[in-house]
């Protein structure tokens, strides 16, 4: 049986992944998402980095079938751009489903994947696709998310009543844990202070004894 503390941590991690910024279901016409930004946060790349860290995992959780690639570069002066690919209303002969099949047939080493060395910048849309871009450079992650939701028409996911109860219970447990930590810290600090006082008293007693010998 999982102990209550471990269960609480697992539940907390699951709820944090399921709900929060980026928890949204994408419309079926979105075929893939691609992010390009620099490795470090400075020079306007903080917003994209925070979106990648905080929002993209939730988007992937709710949309596991949608490929989401992140291409990063060491060039801090490079643009920061998100590319959102949509299925066209009138499909050509090379539909996104056919494209997916074609990509899956490539050797693993040649398949597009996330990169930290600018190996896979955003490609041009395939036949039967159109692309919508978001300029993320010098933009706060909240504003990136708002523009993303507007341009994709994604549907926000809200906690169920049971999940809301679990969230409140977790908050109460976290508040209680914070109080318990504060009490324990005070106890430990008091013990250490008493030990220091005793050590000083012993040193003074030893000094007096040596002076009288």
């Amino acid at each position: 049986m999982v102990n209550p503390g471990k269960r609480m941590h697992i539940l907390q991690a699951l709820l944090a992944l399921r709900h929060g910024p980026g928890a949204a279901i994408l419309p079926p016409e979105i075929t893939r998402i691609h992010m390009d930004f620099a490795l470090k946060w400075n020079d306007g790349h903080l917003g994209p980095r925070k979106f990648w860290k905080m929002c993209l995992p939730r988007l992937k959780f709710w949309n596991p079938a949608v490929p989401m690639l992140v291409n990063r570069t060491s060039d801090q002066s490079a643009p920061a751009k998100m590319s959102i690919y949509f299925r066209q209303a009138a499909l050509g002969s090379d539909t996104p489903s056919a494209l997916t099949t074609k990509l899956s047939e490539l050797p693993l080493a040649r398949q597009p994947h996330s990169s930290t060395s600018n190996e896979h910048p955003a490609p041009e849309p395939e036949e039967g696709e159109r692309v919508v871009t978001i300029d993320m450079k010098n933009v706060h992650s909240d504003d990136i998310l708002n523009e993303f939701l507007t341009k994709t028409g994604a549907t926000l996911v809200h906690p169920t009543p049971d999940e809301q109860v679990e969230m409140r219970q977790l908050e109460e447990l976290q508040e209680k844990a914070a109080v318990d930590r504060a009490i324990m810290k005070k106890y430990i600090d008091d013990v250490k202070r008493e030990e220091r006082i005793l050590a000083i008293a012993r040193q003074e007693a030893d000094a007096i004894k040596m002076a009288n010998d």
Side-chain angles (χ1 to χ4, degrees), residues 10-20 58 159 163-164 166-167 170:
I10 294 172
L11 180 59
Q12 183 179 8
L14 179 60
L15 288 173
L17 179 61
R18 288 174 60 88
H19 300 293
R58 296 188 182 100
E163 288 173 330
Q164 290 175 353
E166 290 176 331
M167 288 177 174
L170 283 174

Side-chain angles (χ1 to χ4, degrees), residues 2-211:
V2 179
N3 67 63
K6 187 172 182 180
R7 179 183 180 278
M8 183 187 74
H9 288 304
I10 294 172
L11 180 59
Q12 183 179 8
L14 179 60
L15 288 173
L17 179 61
R18 288 174 60 88
H19 300 293
I25 297 176
L26 298 172
E29 58 266 25
I30 291 180
T31 59
R32 47 186 169 147
I33 294 170
H34 196 289
M35 292 182 67
D36 284 287
F37 61 96
L39 284 169
K40 298 181 180 178
W41 61 266
N42 53 305
D43 297 327
H45 293 271
L46 178 59
R49 182 184 177 88
K50 290 185 70 175
F51 183 94
W52 164 56
K53 287 281 190 178
M54 298 175 62
C55 302
L56 202 65
R58 296 188 182 100
L59 278 172
K60 188 62 178 178
F61 177 85
W62 288 106
N63 306 276
V66 178
M68 300 180 188
L69 272 63
V70 177
N71 183 66
R72 301 167 71 194
T73 175
S74 58
D75 181 7
Q76 293 298 128
S77 65
K81 184 179 71 171
M82 183 189 303
S83 301
I84 308 163
Y85 296 81
F86 290 77
R87 181 179 291 108
Q88 294 277 37
L91 296 177
S93 58
D94 191 9
T95 66
S97 58
L99 170 65
T100 302
T101 302
K102 183 168 62 179
L103 289 175
S104 66
E105 292 173 350
L106 288 174
L108 187 60
R110 292 179 55 197
Q111 292 182 21
H113 56 80
S114 293
S115 170
T116 58
S117 56
N118 200 30
E119 290 180 87
H120 296 289
E124 292 297 320
E126 296 286 337
E127 184 179 351
E129 281 185 319
R130 65 182 177 89
V131 62
V132 172
T133 60
I134 296 175
D135 183 4
M136 302 186 294
K137 197 164 188 178
N138 294 305
V139 180
H140 193 279
S141 59
D142 291 344
D143 296 326
I144 295 172
L145 177 59
N146 289 334
E147 186 174 355
F148 175 85
L149 295 173
T150 299
K151 289 187 171 181
T152 60
T155 303
L156 292 176
V157 178
H158 300 286
T160 65
D162 288 343
E163 288 173 330
Q164 290 175 353
V165 171
E166 290 176 331
M167 288 177 174
R168 285 196 296 271
Q169 291 174 342
L170 283 174
E171 289 176 1
E172 292 170 359
L173 287 172
Q174 288 169 350
E175 291 172 0
K176 183 179 182 300
V179 172
D180 291 342
R181 285 195 298 270
I183 293 172
M184 181 58 66
K185 183 178 184 305
K186 183 178 184 303
Y187 170 76
I188 293 173
D189 291 343
D190 289 344
V191 170
K192 288 182 177 179
R193 184 174 63 254
E194 291 177 1
E195 289 175 347
R196 286 195 298 270
I197 292 172
L198 287 173
I200 292 171
R202 290 192 191 97
Q203 289 175 357
E204 292 177 348
D206 291 341
I208 293 171
K209 183 178 178 181
M210 291 179 63

